[in-house]
Amino acid sequence: MDKILGNKKAYFIFVFPAFVVYFIMAFIPIIISGYYSTLEWNGIGEKLFVGFDNFIALTKNDAFMSSVKNSLILAVASIIGQLIPAMFLAIVLSRNIKGEGIYRTVYFIPVLLSTVVIGQLFLKIYNADYGALNAFFGLFGLKGQDWLGNTKLVLGAAFFPIIWQYIGYHMLILYTGIKGVPAEIYEAAQIDGANESQMAFQITIPLIKSTMKVSLTFAVIGSLKLFDLIWVLTKGGPLHASEVPSTLMYTTIFTRMEYGSGSAIAVFIVAECLLFYFLIEKFFKVDNITY
C-alpha cells in the first residue's frame, strides 16, 4: 500500500481517466459556448462572426441586467436564509440531544425530493384560487394574493422553496464539520465555565472555517447558476420579475433561437461563478489547525 501511495505513476493512472471524462463533459462545452458567443447564429443557418457584440448587447439588455440582479439577491438570501439556520441546527444537533438521528433525517428530507416535485408542490400552495397559503390567510380574514403572478411578490415566493430545500443540505455539511472537532476541547471549555453560546462562537465556528467555506461556496455558486425550480414555478415571469441568467439563457437559445446571445449568457454565468469562487477562496484564509 505504501508503495502505491508513493508512486506518482499510480496517481496518474487513477486520475487521468476521470480527468478525460471531466474535460469532455465540462471544458469542451465551455469552449464551444465561448466560440458560439462570438457569432450571430440561429442554430441552423449561416454563422456570422460578430466578436464581442453579443456581450456588449447584454449590457444594454434590461431583462439580462434584471436577471443578474435577481441572482445576486438570491445569493445573499441563500447565505442568510440557508447558512444561518443550518449553522444553528448543526450546532444544536451536534450536542448529542435526544433524537439526534431522527431530527437530522427529517431536516434532510427536502434535499432528497425532486426539484420538479417541490416546484409542483409550491405551485399548488401558491395557487391564487385554491392554494393552501391563501386559504391560511383567509382564516384570519386576510385577502389572498396571486403570489406567482404579482411582479412585487413573485421573487420572494419563487426564492422561498429554493432556500427551504437546501437548509438541511448545509446543516449536514456543517454538522459533519462540528462532529470532527475533538470532544476534549468542549470538555475543557466547560471546565473553564464556558456556556453553550460561548463555545459556539469561540470554539465551534472558528474551528470549522474550512467547512463553512464549502457551504458558502455551494450556496453562492448554486444561486448564481440556478435554473430548475425557477423554471418550474415561473419560467422567469411575469415580465422577467423572477428571471435569472440561466432561464434567460434557455429562452434566448431555444425559444428565440439566438445561439450567439444565449451562449454569451452561458459564458457570463461561468465567469461569474468562477469570480465568486475565487473571492470566497480569498476571503476564507483558513489556518491549518492541529489538535
Side-chain angles (χ1 to χ4, degrees):
M1 179 61 71
D2 291 337
K3 290 182 178 180
I4 295 176
L5 293 177
N7 190 338
K8 293 182 179 180
K9 290 183 179 179
Y11 291 161
F12 177 81
I13 291 172
F14 284 107
V15 171
F16 185 72
F19 172 78
V20 171
V21 173
Y22 188 77
F23 184 81
I24 294 173
M25 300 299 294
F27 284 98
I28 290 181
I30 292 173
I31 294 170
I32 293 174
S33 294
Y35 167 65
Y36 286 163
S37 69
T38 63
L39 306 175
E40 184 178 324
W41 184 42
N42 63 4
I44 301 174
E46 185 180 353
K47 301 173 183 176
L48 177 64
F49 180 79
V50 294
F52 291 101
D53 287 356
N54 288 323
F55 293 97
I56 296 172
L58 287 180
T59 62
K60 302 175 183 178
N61 186 328
D62 292 337
F64 173 74
M65 299 307 293
S66 176
S67 71
V68 173
K69 182 185 74 172
N70 290 342
S71 68
L72 294 176
I73 292 173
L74 176 58
V76 174
S78 296
I79 295 172
I80 298 173
Q82 288 178 353
L83 299 190
I84 294 177
M87 177 64 78
F88 174 78
L89 292 173
I91 291 175
V92 172
L93 292 180
S94 66
R95 302 308 292 160
N96 298 318
I97 65 171
K98 186 176 180 180
E100 176 182 337
I102 297 175
Y103 287 121
R104 189 174 63 239
T105 302
V106 169
Y107 292 143
F108 193 72
I109 286 176
V111 183
L112 303 177
L113 298 179
S114 165
T115 302
V116 175
V117 171
I118 292 176
Q120 290 297 324
L121 171 64
F122 275 89
L123 279 175
K124 304 299 184 293
I125 293 174
Y126 288 142
N127 189 279
D129 297 322
Y130 57 82
L133 189 56
N134 281 347
F136 175 77
F137 282 124
L139 296 175
F140 301 94
L142 300 175
K143 183 181 178 181
Q145 301 289 338
D146 185 3
W147 298 97
L148 298 178
N150 189 321
T151 56
K152 295 181 180 179
L153 299 175
V154 66
L155 198 62
F159 285 174
F160 175 78
I162 298 167
I163 294 171
W164 165 79
Q165 182 183 11
Y166 288 102
I167 289 176
Y169 177 75
H170 294 289
M171 178 274 295
L172 193 61
I173 293 175
L174 296 170
Y175 171 86
T176 304
I178 295 171
K179 280 295 190 179
V181 178
E184 292 81 2
I185 297 178
Y186 292 111
E187 293 171 0
Q190 288 176 328
I191 293 173
D192 290 337
N195 56 36
E196 292 292 336
S197 177
Q198 290 173 325
M199 288 191 290
F201 285 99
Q202 298 179 24
I203 297 176
T204 302
I205 293 177
L207 292 182
I208 62 166
K209 282 185 178 180
S210 58
T211 308
M212 291 171 59
K213 182 181 72 173
V214 171
S215 276
L216 180 61
T217 302
F218 286 165
V220 173
I221 302 304
S223 301
L224 297 177
K225 62 184 182 68
L226 178 75
F227 172 79
D228 42 12
L229 197 47
I230 291 290
W231 187 256
V232 173
L233 289 172
T234 67
K235 293 182 172 59
L239 300 175
H240 302 292
S242 63
E243 197 84 77
V244 290
S246 56
T247 57
L248 184 62
M249 175 195 70
Y250 183 88
T251 54
T252 300
I253 294 177
F254 297 107
T255 302
R256 300 204 299 270
M257 303 301 289
E258 297 176 4
Y259 274 72
S261 297
S263 296
I265 298 174
V267 172
F268 169 82
I269 294 172
V270 173
E272 185 184 31
C273 291
L274 286 174
L275 173 63
F276 276 90
Y277 169 77
F278 287 118
L279 287 176
I280 293 171
E281 284 287 331
K282 186 174 180 63
F283 179 77
F284 268 87
K285 296 295 184 180
V286 183
D287 298 326
N288 291 324
I289 298 173
T290 56
Y291 300 117

